[in-house]
Amino acid sequence: MMARTAPTLHMDAILDDRDTRIVVCCGSGGVGKTTTAAALGLRAAERGRTVVVLTVDPARRLAQSMGLTELDNTPRLVTTTEAGGALHAMMLDMKRTFDEIIEAHADPDRARQILTNPFYQSLSSSFSGTQEYMAMEKLGQLRRSGKWDLIVVDTPPSRSALDFLDAPERLGRFLDGRLIRLLMAPAKAGGRNAFKLLNAGFGLVAGMMTKVLGAQVITDIQMFVSALDAVFGGFRQRAEQTYRLLQAPGTAFLVVAAPERDAMREASYFVERLAEDRMPLAGIVVNRVHVSPAGGLSAARSAAAAEDLESRGEHLLTAAVLRLHTGRMQLAAREHREQDHFVSAHPTVPLAQVPAMPDDVHDLDGLRRIADLLATPLAPSGA
Amino acid sequence: MRLHVITGKGGTGKTTVAASLALALASGGKKVLLVEVEGRQGIAQVFDIPPLPYEERKIAVAPGGGDVYALAVDPEDAMLEYLEMFYGIRRAGRALTKMGVVDFATTIAPGLRDVLVTGKTTEAVRRRGKNGRRVYDAVVLDAPPTGRIVRFLNVTQEVAGLARVGPIKNHADLVRGVVASPETAVHFVTLLEEMPVQETLDGVAELREAGLPAGGIFINMVRPAVLPPESLEAALAGRFDVGELALGLKAAGLADGPADASAIGEALAAEVVEHAKRAALEHREREALAEAEMPRYELPLLADGVDLAGLYELAEQITSQGAA
């Protein structure tokens, strides 16, 4: 029993609204975010929309369920639908996306210089924020291409899954920072003799960096930064454009969670963070909620009856089934409490629940089942 | 074993298992450090204590005496500490922060962030007291998720693009020496579900390929078997005896008349079928995990959720199954 009842999240209304152009699924790791994104994409396509699902690092089986076998950074057709819609899907290849930006914006010589720079190579494949930047960049590209009327994005499973919101700011801080100016100074002065022309304060820091990082690293960074500076003039603006696109009314953010303490706590954080950044929140999806077809039989009555049968030594199978049911009802009650906390703190956020399924999703039928459940308000289980 | 690294897919209860393992290792008068590195304050949450600072502090007493200390490693602080320890640069720290150097090093420089936090962890492993003995009997690291673990631990590889020679490379080599040594074990936490099991198997393979030491597999949130195998088989085959169940419900006084008994019976039977499907899936996943040829430990699903009492219960399980 929810102390308060959250408003119902009407998924179909969002998907059917032609003004909805971007749906962003965010949430902590392991809550079924990618599955939710894929299921929503399929449902929208089956309701006549031309959809692309942009996923980041999906689990192998889920990728297979959409017929994706390789990570090639290009949207692939998954299926066309009777309603005249289509579902495309792609997996983000962050290194390739990064390389493409360089190739598109630098002359061949300079591009080669950047692409072979060791600093660039590790930055483009392992920097903990690269995935977020590139997801933003790809989203912007897909949106500008105008080929899809709905883009469903599954956000990266980063340590803080909302890092992508910080991407433009962090990038800006980096590119405009004093450090960059420090590193750029020798290049701009035309000399290869690093840090020579710097004032005392800069000199101190520069000396320290050379001491800690080693001179070769400094040279690599300098080459990289000066090459990048010429290329990335527009990069920050583009990141900012995408950020504003996310704030626009055509975007719907969905926070995805599971009815467990950590996941619901993270969900609260996401809801607050999205509000802070003035991002349009459509609602919260709680996956894997346990409900019981025999919700009228309470945990307490069930447990008492099981004990009674056990003490009489009769109907032991029934007793075991009642024990099973008791556990199920206790779990359902605990999940209700976890959701309750969220609803009390955020009473106006629309909520949809998806019941737990005994098996994992393997194919489009599985995704369709999830989507059906997602779009159908769950009857109260009486827990 | 000195260093226990705990990884797992998101949502599998990595932090809970790390915390319980730390309690189990500390029991009987040992001193154990529990380290977290992702800035989530997960340790504070499972132990229900205020957020941890960048400082080793005692957070729990283990069964039979023994202390668990905890540390939340912050990469920026770790960097300033590193500069101070190895270069005696203390006051410059603020200038570095102001210049954006610390920000750069901990977010943008590839691999440096990971070297800093693993560096801090391995320093605690190696640290010796005045008596020449190690300060901690064991260190438990609540590490990043399975998808990132090998890159996180394979620090030499990771900083290779940044530094082939020089102080960072040396530091990374030192870290690698501890992480790849027989004193270290990397444990995986999983649930009996397809995706976490698949990720675990992929992670184990990747770990072995990188020459890092695999420890055990902790199967978390295992539900007890309440129904006999033959009932589960019958349910899967659609032969579950609802009539027998209904009779039992009537005998237990849960039904008003035969119609009601059969309605409740049908509903409960649907629950049994779902449970049987789930049990069959769990059986398949257990068999898949066996292929990794690592020790496996099973931790029960805690009926009341994870609280302090639950951590001690899990610690006891870990000890009794010989994992600590």
Side-chain angles (χ1 to χ4, degrees):
Chain A
M1 279 157 287
M2 301 237 177
R4 287 168 181 270
T5 310
T8 305
L9 174 62
H10 294 287
M11 222 45 251
D12 284 342
I14 295 169
L15 299 179
D16 289 346
D17 182 350
R18 296 272 156 176
D19 291 334
T20 307
R21 304 297 300 275
I22 296 174
V23 173
V24 184
C25 298
C26 52
S28 49
V31 295
K33 207 167 25 175
T34 312
T35 309
T36 302
L40 287 175
L42 179 63
R43 188 165 185 95
E46 293 189 333
R47 298 173 78 86
R49 303 201 63 178
T50 306
V51 188
V52 62
V53 175
L54 168 59
T55 87
V56 180
D57 195 21
R60 196 191 300 167
R61 280 169 212 262
L62 182 66
Q64 283 167 354
S65 74
M66 289 193 294
L68 292 178
T69 47
E70 50 182 333
L71 184 108
D72 65 355
N73 218 26
T74 315
R76 298 281 166 189
L77 178 67
V78 176
T79 182
T80 52
T81 63
E82 280 173 24
L87 174 65
H88 295 77
M90 69 164 288
M91 287 192 260
L92 178 77
D93 177 340
M94 63 173 177
K95 174 140 178 44
R96 178 117 25 130
T97 304
F98 212 151
D99 290 354
E100 281 167 7
I101 302 173
I102 304 287
E103 282 159 0
H105 292 87
D107 57 75
D109 264 2
R110 197 179 276 278
R112 203 171 324 117
Q113 210 184 353
I114 298 176
L115 296 179
T116 55
N117 182 294
F119 201 81
Y120 169 77
Q121 285 173 350
S122 36
L123 178 78
S124 61
S125 51
S126 71
F127 166 37
S128 58
T130 306
Q131 216 173 29
E132 286 78 30
Y133 292 115
M134 293 308 135
M136 291 276 284
E137 172 66 26
K138 204 59 181 174
L139 172 62
Q141 283 177 15
L142 291 172
R143 183 70 172 81
R144 282 191 298 273
S145 80
K147 283 190 201 151
W148 291 279
D149 67 1
L150 181 66
I151 304 166
V152 182
V153 193
D154 161 36
T155 55
S158 37
R159 42 195 103 184
S160 163
L162 279 181
D163 275 359
F164 71 98
L165 290 178
D166 294 328
E169 198 200 318
R170 255 166 74 184
L171 188 69
R173 212 164 58 204
F174 173 54
L175 289 176
D176 296 345
R178 293 170 69 188
L179 176 67
I180 287 293
R181 276 187 281 139
L182 161 72
L183 291 168
M184 293 290 298
K188 283 197 172 129
R192 297 190 55 84
N193 197 350
F195 308 128
K196 205 173 173 183
L197 300 169
L198 303 172
N199 67 34
F202 272 16
L204 172 74
V205 171
M208 219 151 31
M209 282 185 65
T210 310
K211 194 168 164 189
V212 176
L213 293 168
Q216 181 58 44
V217 178
I218 301 289
T219 314
D220 281 348
I221 295 177
Q222 275 174 333
M223 274 178 57
F224 169 66
V225 165
S226 61
L228 208 60
D229 188 57
V231 175
F232 269 36
F235 191 73
R236 185 182 174 198
Q237 281 87 329
R238 281 226 298 286
E240 273 168 2
Q241 261 175 28
T242 311
Y243 184 85
R244 281 196 297 275
L245 189 67
L246 290 176
Q247 285 180 328
T251 301
F253 274 87
L254 286 177
V255 172
V256 184
E260 289 142 23
R261 192 173 305 167
D262 288 355
M264 293 308 293
R265 191 158 29 202
E266 286 292 292
S268 275
Y269 165 76
F270 288 139
V271 165
E272 285 151 24
R273 180 66 215 275
L274 288 170
E276 236 169 69
D277 279 60
R278 301 201 312 284
M279 295 287 166
L281 175 68
I284 176 170
V285 173
V286 185
N287 278 330
R288 296 200 292 261
V289 176
H290 287 86
V291 288
S292 167
L297 180 56
S298 75
R301 273 187 79 207
S302 180
E307 203 179 318
D308 177 36
L309 290 177
E310 281 159 4
S311 68
R312 281 158 37 194
E314 293 168 9
H315 297 286
L316 292 180
L317 179 64
T318 303
V321 171
L322 289 170
R323 289 282 176 205
L324 182 70
H325 179 68
T326 305
R328 175 82 164 236
M329 292 302 280
Q330 282 166 343
L331 180 62
R334 199 170 79 226
E335 290 179 351
H336 263 284
R337 281 198 300 277
E338 298 303 344
Q339 292 179 79
D340 246 3
H341 293 162
F342 176 88
V343 174
S344 315
H346 307 282
T348 59
V349 176
L351 182 139
Q353 291 172 310
V354 180
M357 311 263 279
D359 326 288
D360 281 348
V361 174
H362 290 112
D363 49 22
L364 289 181
D365 284 340
L367 283 179
R368 192 173 293 121
R369 266 202 311 279
I370 298 275
D372 282 343
L373 292 167
L374 189 50
T376 316
L378 196 63
S381 76
Chain B
M1 211 59 65
R2 293 261 173 203
L3 174 59
H4 298 261
V5 180
I6 311 285
T7 184
K9 184 174 159 55
T12 55
K14 204 163 53 71
T15 305
T16 308
V17 173
S20 319
L21 179 61
L23 282 173
L25 289 167
S27 62
K30 301 280 177 41
K31 188 171 171 184
V32 174
L33 179 67
L34 175 60
V35 181
E36 76 171 334
V37 294
E38 298 213 290
R40 286 186 299 116
Q41 288 291 343
I43 296 176
Q45 280 166 16
V46 295
F47 282 96
D48 199 14
I49 51 174
L52 292 168
Y54 182 62
E55 180 190 292
E56 288 157 41
R57 61 167 59 167
K58 185 170 151 181
I59 57 161
V61 175
D67 295 326
V68 175
Y69 283 70
L71 169 70
V73 178
D74 171 72
E76 297 203 2
D77 288 332
M79 171 147 183
L80 295 177
E81 190 186 63
Y82 168 83
L83 291 175
E84 190 179 332
M85 243 158 68
F86 290 83
Y87 299 97
I89 306 167
R90 180 198 274 269
R91 281 190 303 130
R94 206 183 301 159
L96 288 174
T97 307
K98 222 168 104 191
M99 294 282 300
V101 175
V102 174
D103 199 31
F104 169 83
T106 55
T107 63
I108 298 188
L112 198 51
R113 183 190 181 98
D114 291 346
V115 178
L116 286 166
V117 299
T118 46
K120 179 64 196 172
T121 309
T122 51
E123 182 272 318
V125 173
R126 289 181 289 113
R127 194 186 308 153
R128 290 177 190 273
K130 286 200 181 83
N131 55 9
R133 294 179 46 188
R134 307 257 198 150
V135 171
Y136 291 108
D137 294 293
V139 175
V140 178
L141 171 62
D142 181 8
T146 322
R148 239 172 60 73
I149 188 67
V150 169
R151 185 178 279 174
F152 173 76
L153 293 175
N154 218 355
V155 281
T156 11
Q157 188 77 40
E158 231 196 318
V159 299
L162 184 67
R164 287 194 179 77
V165 290
I168 294 186
K169 176 72 167 63
N170 297 342
H171 189 56
D173 286 343
L174 188 64
V175 172
R176 166 84 196 189
V178 175
V179 169
S181 83
E183 279 197 331
T184 298
V186 181
H187 307 291
F188 290 79
V189 182
T190 186
L191 307 178
L192 287 174
E193 288 169 14
E194 276 179 66
M195 286 192 207
V197 166
Q198 188 60 51
E199 268 197 29
T200 300
L201 295 174
D202 292 349
V204 169
E206 211 190 327
L207 192 77
R208 285 180 171 152
E209 203 173 307
L212 295 168
I217 296 176
F218 288 87
I219 304 171
N220 199 14
M221 302 186 211
V222 176
R223 276 171 255 214
V226 280
L227 291 181
E230 58 273 18
S231 305
L232 294 178
E233 269 168 43
L236 282 179
R239 289 186 282 101
F240 189 74
D241 193 345
V242 183
E244 166 65 28
L245 181 60
L247 282 177
L249 291 172
K250 250 185 354 203
L254 286 174
D256 296 332
D260 193 35
S262 116
I264 301 175
E266 290 289 348
L268 289 177
E271 229 171 86
V272 171
V273 170
E274 249 181 63
H275 174 74
K277 278 191 193 166
R278 166 96 204 166
L281 178 121
E282 290 182 354
H283 180 71
R284 284 198 302 277
E285 299 308 325
R286 259 201 193 88
E287 289 189 333
L289 285 173
E291 285 167 25
E293 294 179 340
M294 285 158 72
R296 295 181 300 282
Y297 313 104
E298 302 217 354
L299 302 178
L301 176 73
L302 297 171
D304 299 321
V306 178
D307 55 12
L308 201 55
L311 290 183
Y312 282 95
E313 193 183 323
L314 294 179
E316 212 178 291
Q317 285 286 338
I318 287 173
T319 307
S320 70
Q321 293 180 35

